[in-house]
Every structure is written in C-alpha cells, then in structure tokens.
Amino acid sequence: MNNERNYIPQLRPTIENLSQAIFTVNRHAKTAPNPKFLYQLKHDAIKKMLKEGKAKKTGLHFSNNPRNSQQQSDVLVACGEYTFHIPPTKQDFEQLPHLGKLDQSVRNPRSSISLTTAKKLLSTYTGLRELQETADTARTRKYAKPVFKKLGERYP
C-alpha cells in the first residue's frame, strides 16, 4: 500500500515533458535552500535540448536582476510552449537579436509535474546526479554539554 502511494510514473523525455520538468525545477530553485543543483540541472537540460534541436535560442533580454553591473542580458530559449532564460555566451551577443526589456505579461503555462518527478526525468536525461550527504557527516558533530564553573574559577 505504501509503495503505491510513493510510486512515481516514469515519463518519457519528450519536448513537452522536458520543458514542464525544467519549468518545475526552475520554479522550485528560486526558493530552495540550496538551489545550485537545481539550476545546474536546468542549465544542462537546456544545453542538451539546444544541441539536439528540441529547443531554440530566440534572442536576448535585459535581466531584471543584474548582478554587479547596471545592465545584464540573458538568452531567451523557447522549449515547446515554455520559455526560459540562461546566461549568454560571447557568440550569443554576436548572433542573436536583442529583444529589449522583458515583457511581464508573457507567462509560461502551468505545469502538473511534481519536483521529484521533474528531478528524476532531468537527471536521467542529462546524466547529472545530486550528491547525497551521508549519515556519517551528521554523526561526526555530537552535542557537547556546556561546562559551568563557579564564580572566580578558571577554565583549564
């Protein structure tokens, strides 16, 4: 009974399934405590889709959140019905048209894939694996009780 509840259906790596999985991973990465793996998974999946012709770079947008500079551009990538942004390369600035400011009225459709399913699909597609923290690292730091001395005594 418990196995039926935890069963995750295996999705095929179609353009629609991959783009929904990237959307789900990207949405969760924005609020994740450690988003590095999720963003790497998104980036690797988009790069592989571009290489296979399943996605297409459409242009450059000004970034809403530039890092240290006044302006920064991101590459707009179309995957099925979804669009995503990735960091640009030097060739992107030479080859792609600049689309100006991001249009806030354009939104991606809702996705029905869970984060677990999306991570599993993208991991099998890209071959990228998440490093699991072992239980040994949690056991190495044991709680040390505080030592209280009487007033005037010194610590050894």
Side-chain angles (χ1 to χ4, degrees):
M1 178 84 176
N2 195 17
N3 284 343
E4 291 174 13
R5 193 173 66 206
N6 293 335
Y7 174 72
I8 300 169
Q10 185 66 31
L11 292 175
R12 296 182 56 222
T14 62
I15 295 173
E16 195 58 37
N17 286 343
L18 289 170
S19 55
Q20 281 188 25
I22 293 170
F23 176 77
T24 301
V25 163
N26 191 41
R27 187 180 67 224
H28 283 84
K30 294 176 190 313
T31 57
N34 186 10
K36 194 172 188 177
F37 171 72
L38 295 177
Y39 280 125
Q40 187 64 45
L41 194 61
K42 169 197 167 188
H43 193 261
D44 288 358
I46 290 175
K47 277 176 46 179
K48 187 170 180 182
M49 288 179 76
L50 285 167
K51 196 178 291 183
E52 293 176 352
K54 294 180 179 179
K56 186 178 181 234
K57 292 181 181 181
T58 55
L60 294 161
H61 269 155
F62 286 125
S63 178
N64 284 343
N65 304 316
R67 282 182 230 142
N68 297 327
S69 61
Q70 295 286 349
Q71 275 184 344
Q72 180 180 336
S73 293
D74 295 324
V75 176
L76 182 67
V77 178
C79 306
E81 297 179 17
Y82 293 83
T83 56
F84 304 102
H85 287 102
I86 59 171
T89 62
K90 287 186 179 182
Q91 293 84 17
D92 292 335
F93 284 106
E94 297 167 1
Q95 297 170 354
L96 297 173
H98 208 290
L99 306 173
K101 200 170 183 179
L102 178 66
D103 185 10
Q104 296 293 339
S105 65
V106 178
R107 294 278 181 211
N108 282 327
R110 293 187 68 73
S111 173
S112 59
I113 296 179
S114 70
L115 178 62
T116 309
T117 307
K119 282 170 58 175
K120 185 180 265 188
L121 175 65
L122 294 178
S123 290
T124 55
Y125 181 66
T126 60
L128 191 65
R129 298 280 175 240
E130 186 172 14
L131 295 174
Q132 298 291 331
E133 289 190 26
T134 59
D136 296 338
T137 57
R139 287 189 209 134
T140 56
R141 287 191 277 153
K142 291 198 176 220
Y143 177 73
K145 290 183 181 178
V147 178
F148 296 103
K149 300 285 185 181
K150 292 180 184 174
L151 189 64
E153 286 185 23
R154 292 180 161 235
Y155 290 101

